Amino acid sequence: MNFPIPDFVPVPSAEIMQTISIVSLIVGICLVSVGLLFLFQNKKKGKEKKATALWIVIGIGVLLIVNHGIQLLF
């Protein structure tokens, strides 16, 4: 369905939306990488602290990867 968009709502162009998706995908990959790095680093040291924050960072990264990866396919 095509809804009319009012003139006062800023709508980015398709190229800018693609750039935003690519940057978000890269940020998601970095978040997952850093989260996994720190998670495994804590396990090697034997410090199995509460890794809740690391799992949250990894989860956010995975959501960004999935969302923007699919968005870039279409």
Side-chain angles (χ1 to χ4, degrees):
M1 298 178 96
N2 291 330
F3 294 108
I5 298 174
D7 291 335
F8 60 86
V9 176
V11 179
S13 65
E15 294 84 20
I16 293 176
M17 290 299 290
Q18 184 178 14
T19 304
I20 291 171
S21 289
I22 291 170
V23 169
S24 297
L25 182 69
I26 293 169
V27 168
I29 291 169
C30 291
L31 284 174
V32 169
S33 300
V34 168
L36 289 175
L37 177 72
F38 283 125
L39 188 67
F40 289 130
Q41 187 178 12
N42 284 342
K43 285 190 178 189
K44 284 183 181 179
K45 290 182 179 179
K47 299 178 184 177
E48 294 197 22
K49 301 178 190 177
K50 291 184 178 180
T52 307
L54 292 175
W55 285 108
I56 290 172
V57 168
I58 293 170
I60 291 171
V62 168
L63 285 174
L64 283 172
I65 291 170
V66 170
N67 182 25
H68 293 284
I70 291 172
Q71 191 173 6
L72 286 171
L73 290 176
F74 299 106

